[in-house]
Amino acid sequence: MTEPTAVLLMAYGTPYQESDIKGYYTNIRHGQEPPKPLMDQLVGRYKAIGLPSPLARITTAQRDGLQAALDKAHPGAYKVYEGLKYIAPFIKDAVDQIAADGITRVIGLPLAPQYSSYSSEDYHNRARKAVEAHPGMEYLPVSSWWNHQELIHFWSDQLVAKKDLTDRPDTKVIFSAHSLPLRIIQGGDPYKDEVIGLSNAVAQAAGLNEDQYVLAWQSAGRTQEPWIGPDFVKVAKDLITESGMKTIVSASIGFIADNLEICYDVDMELAKAIESAGGTLTRLNMPNDSPALIATLQQVVEETKAE
Ligand code: FEC
């Protein structure tokens, strides 16, 4: 039997319990311990949604779902691994396990649909570094996969199902993605263009015209420098208080899972801001381990193998 190919699914990771938060946050801050006020804020956000965030369970379910789909389509050809950026099991642990399992060909697939030097490339750099320790191991990086039809239709199908709501003149759809420091985009990173590409593709597939939706940015980090805007909380508030909107439909298309940025930033922070401005929020479901997301990942893997 030929040797299987490893699929290394790489995700952000989330603290499993309160005592993990400091180390996790220190890793995100490139080894710098967070000052107490920032630490307290983050602990407060995790406590509000309850630890662990659903992300831990969902990343594992995505791995298992992809493994089952690949086993069905190509028995014995692929083995799927999970490697995280900021908490165990780390990307390096997964690569070491792949080597221990005697596999020498690795597809690196970041669970972030748009490419960015800050997300996708950072995942790949961590994986490449770990792969270098295993002579003879081949690494095939996947850059971005936002333009897969299954993913686009996952979002647009939900909007079509809410057509009665989205067609009302006092409803606006807000597409959003994680903000990034502006300097990264100014340095030529394609992330923003890819997010714009996905929001337009979803809107087109859902039959929305340009007046019915807007793209905004969410979850900017707590750093001093400017991040991509406008922020979705301000956009939503202005739409209600200045443009007469009553309902905001939120579609966090830049993410694929219920995580802190969805369960807190959307379901609590955005919802509260909209409610205090006098409007209501309807939030679209995240792809999580849905058949559409698993089919998308399966296609990405198959295309990479064919290269
Ligand atoms: O559910 C969870 O527990 C994890 C949620 C989580 C996801 C996530 C995704 C992305 N981030 C990206 C960029 C940055 C940059 C910084 C930054 C900071 C944080 C902090 C937490 C956090 N991020 Fe995150 N991110 C998640 C959680 N992120 C917690 C620290 C507190 C804070 O600043 O809010 C700023 C730090 C730095 O300079 O490095 C930049 C990007 C993504 C989407 C792509 C991906 O998933 O990899 C980009 C989920």
Side-chain angles (χ1 to χ4, degrees), residues 265-281:
D265 297 359
V266 179
D267 292 348
M268 296 185 181
E269 209 169 47
L270 180 67
K272 195 170 159 202
I274 289 174
E275 203 178 302
S276 20
T280 55
L281 167 68

Side-chain angles (χ1 to χ4, degrees), residues 165 168 170-173 245-249 279-282:
L165 182 62
R168 286 172 43 170
D170 56 6
T171 295
K172 190 80 97 180
V173 176
M245 295 295 142
K246 289 206 164 55
T247 304
I248 299 296
V249 177
T280 55
L281 167 68
T282 296

Side-chain angles (χ1 to χ4, degrees), residues 91-105:
I91 291 169
K92 181 187 177 308
D93 303 335
V95 171
D96 290 346
Q97 186 59 52
I98 292 168
D101 291 346
I103 302 178
T104 56
R105 195 164 199 251

Side-chain angles (χ1 to χ4, degrees), residues 12-15 24-25 28 30 42 45-46 53 55 112 118-119 123 178 180 221-222 227 259-261:
Y12 216 80
T14 181
Y24 172 76
Y25 201 176
I28 292 178
H30 317 279
L42 188 60
R45 284 156 69 208
Y46 276 117
S53 91
L55 185 60
Y118 240 59
S119 59
Y123 286 114
H178 202 297
L180 278 183
R222 276 76 178 156
W227 288 58
N259 55 40
L260 183 71
E261 327 294 73

Side-chain angles (χ1 to χ4, degrees), residues 10-15 21 24-25 27-30 38 41-42 45-46 49 51-56 85-86 110-114 116 118-120 122-123 177-181 183-184 191 219-223 225 227 254-263 265:
M10 294 181 285
Y12 216 80
T14 181
I21 298 178
Y24 172 76
Y25 201 176
N27 288 341
I28 292 178
R29 291 169 50 87
H30 317 279
L38 287 185
Q41 265 184 37
L42 188 60
R45 284 156 69 208
Y46 276 117
I49 68 163
L51 271 167
S53 91
L55 185 60
K85 209 191 258 193
Y86 297 120
L111 287 173
Q114 300 85 13
S116 154
Y118 240 59
S119 59
S120 337
D122 188 34
Y123 286 114
H178 202 297
S179 181
L180 278 183
R183 79 184 138 79
I184 295 168
Y191 175 77
S219 315
R222 276 76 178 156
T223 64
E225 60 183 332
W227 288 58
F255 296 89
I256 59 160
D258 289 313
N259 55 40
L260 183 71
E261 327 294 73
I262 303 302
C263 302
D265 297 359

